[in-house]
Amino acid sequence: MSTLDVDATTALSVTRDGGVATVRLERPQAANALDRTLWHELRTTFRALDEEPGVRAVVLTGAGRHFCAGIDLSMLAEIQGMAPAGADPGRAREALRRLILDLQDVLTTVERCRVPVLAAIQGACVGAGLDLAVVCDLRYATPRTRFSLKEVDMGLAADVGVLQRLPRLVGEGRVREMAYTCRDVRGGEAEAMGLVNACVDTEDPEVLLAHVTEVARGLAAKSPLALRGTKHAITYARDHTIADGLDQIATWNASALISDDLTEAVTAFTQGRAPDYAD
């Protein structure tokens, strides 16, 4: 096992085992709430992972009992104090808009990572924690995992992506109910509605992480080029028409279909062995 060579991080850790990198939020004393440092380190870390050829899958999890309890209250206080007395209200609101757009971009950086990102979600996954979960490709929970959109109860509307992405996963009606009522959704219900890919029958976060890591290892053994192309095509199709999506995948395969990965896949199949792909 090795540590990925990224800039020194203080609010998260990154380890690498073969083609699988594990990113762990390291603020257990604050239920891994997202403070300014953690927002910054998420972006720099996932940019580094995206550029690392040897990384074929990423597992995202949180240290301690909880995945992520949302935006840290200290950061909310910073946002509330962005308009000092006497400041031009127009400029203050422009600055707030730019901050919101920047926070959105942090989470989109996770989504843009070209390899599959799998979330192992234990305990609380609340507010911005749910925003972070839904930018991942695959999500896994335990029966006691607690998902909730708490923003309305805090007097605001969620603004960093969950209201835009979650309806594509579970349907508009379910998102409206979750957002309006702010009620908790536990792991079993989350699996039934399609919010998570599986609810793993354990209360031990390390057992959950082991399960998700094993799934990630399976993905890391597949053709990296094919997985990257598939991820890009699915994300692109989500945001475009069917015709646009068909045109996009035709362009992708026109450039990437004839590859060493295709040759290796066919050769390994005919020889009855596991394929061995280059990074």
Side-chain angles (χ1 to χ4, degrees):
M1 179 162 306
S2 63
T3 300
L4 192 71
D5 184 20
V6 296
D7 293 338
T9 56
T10 58
L12 58 78
S13 62
V14 185
T15 55
R16 169 125 168 246
D17 188 1
V20 178
T22 300
V23 177
R24 192 189 298 259
L25 310 183
E26 296 283 2
R27 300 190 72 228
Q29 74 284 358
N32 296 312
L34 299 166
D35 64 356
R36 187 174 291 277
T37 300
L38 191 43
W39 281 104
H40 171 73
E41 292 182 359
L42 274 170
R43 175 155 48 201
T44 57
T45 296
F46 274 90
R47 281 178 174 172
L49 292 169
D50 182 60
E51 294 171 1
E52 173 57 48
V55 172
R56 300 186 179 186
V58 178
V59 175
L60 176 64
T61 191
R65 297 172 52 206
H66 301 291
F67 177 72
C68 179
I71 294 181
D72 192 89
L73 292 179
S74 65
M75 191 164 177
L76 285 178
E78 287 181 38
I79 293 172
Q80 285 183 311
M82 288 185 66
D88 173 21
R91 285 175 171 78
R93 283 159 179 76
E94 182 197 26
L96 178 56
R97 179 179 184 273
R98 288 171 60 84
L99 173 61
I100 293 169
L101 290 172
D102 186 64
L103 297 180
Q104 291 174 353
D105 183 70
V106 170
L107 297 182
T108 302
T109 300
V110 179
E111 184 178 68
R112 279 195 299 255
C113 185
R114 61 182 177 156
V115 303
V117 180
L118 295 74
I121 307 168
Q122 79 280 12
C125 181
V126 178
L130 185 51
D131 287 87
L132 178 58
V134 299
V135 297
C136 298
D137 296 271
L138 305 176
R139 287 157 297 280
Y140 299 84
T142 75
R144 293 184 64 184
T145 300
R146 175 170 58 89
F147 299 93
S148 60
L149 283 168
K150 288 294 187 186
E151 283 82 355
V152 166
D153 277 353
M154 297 179 66
L156 54 91
D159 58 7
V160 288
V162 70
L163 299 182
Q164 292 70 39
R165 292 183 173 99
L166 189 56
R168 310 297 181 97
L169 296 173
V170 305
E172 180 183 318
R174 289 190 177 98
V175 175
R176 287 182 184 274
E177 194 241 357
M178 287 180 66
Y180 297 170
T181 67
C182 305
R183 74 174 181 87
D184 293 343
V185 171
R186 296 287 180 174
E189 183 183 2
E191 180 182 24
M193 69 167 59
L195 173 53
V196 299
N197 296 84
C199 179
V200 181
D201 188 16
T202 182
E203 297 306 328
D204 186 341
E206 292 305 314
V207 173
L208 173 67
L209 180 59
H211 174 87
V212 177
T213 301
E214 191 61 29
V215 176
R217 287 196 186 104
L219 299 183
K222 298 180 182 294
S223 159
L225 193 61
L227 267 182
R228 294 196 293 262
T230 299
K231 172 170 179 170
H232 180 65
I234 292 172
T235 304
Y236 185 93
R238 180 197 65 189
D239 300 329
H240 295 78
T241 67
I242 292 175
D244 289 340
L246 289 170
D247 185 71
Q248 179 273 325
I249 195 60
T251 301
W252 172 277
N253 270 348
S255 63
L257 178 65
I258 308 304
S259 69
D260 291 345
D261 285 18
L262 177 61
T263 301
E264 172 62 10
V266 173
T267 302
F269 178 78
T270 58
Q271 295 178 354
R273 60 173 176 81
D276 182 16
Y277 300 107
D279 293 330

